[in-house]
Amino acid sequence: QVQLVESGGGLVQPGGSLRLSCAASGTSFSIARMGWYRQAPGRQRELVAVISKNGSPIYADAVKGRFTISRDSAKTTVYLQMNSLKVEDTAVYYCNYYVTTHYWGQGTQVTVSS
């Protein structure tokens, strides 16, 4: 069974940085597309970034140039490095695993506030 455990969220001031991690177990990590999505209060869940099994990333326009997604196959972990954080980046961030079915982590809160 696929399990995804996120970590690294927290409170940060505007302009600051955070790195999220998602450790995957029970998975075919090497062939999975991994991703990060977020959901702010009162809004739908939206894509932040995804990375293919070959390491090719895709970013939402809102985070291009500020966020970087990466994956470590040896650790079966995907990361999201978030720099130059803005108040509007505040949301619960969810890790996603996809081969033929989507699996989700429990989410980690990111709050950007002064």
Side-chain angles (χ1 to χ4, degrees):
Q1 183 171 348
V2 175
Q3 289 189 326
L4 305 171
V5 179
E6 300 111 331
S7 61
L11 173 64
V12 63
Q13 293 186 340
S17 298
L18 283 174
R19 189 176 83 151
L20 306 184
S21 299
C22 172
S25 61
T27 71
S28 300
F29 185 86
S30 63
I31 66 170
R33 189 192 76 181
M34 300 297 298
W36 290 95
Y37 291 70
R38 67 186 181 188
Q39 187 167 17
R43 301 188 65 175
Q44 290 188 330
R45 190 173 297 188
E46 62 179 7
L47 179 145
V48 175
V50 294
I51 186 167
S52 72
K53 61 182 181 180
N54 298 319
S56 298
I58 297 174
Y59 298 97
D61 287 344
V63 306
K64 281 181 182 177
R66 301 188 297 123
F67 291 11
T68 302
I69 189 170
S70 61
R71 61 191 294 161
D72 185 332
S73 294
K75 297 181 178 179
T76 62
T77 298
V78 63
Y79 304 97
L80 185 69
Q81 178 66 44
M82 304 186 294
N83 299 328
S84 302
L85 281 161
K86 304 176 180 180
V87 171
E88 51 264 42
D89 293 319
T90 296
V92 178
Y93 284 70
Y94 296 92
C95 179
N96 176 261
Y97 164 100
Y98 177 74
V99 176
T100 60
T101 303
H102 287 279
Y103 291 89
W104 299 91
Q106 81 284 357
T108 185
Q109 177 70 47
V110 172
T111 302
V112 185
S113 175
S114 56

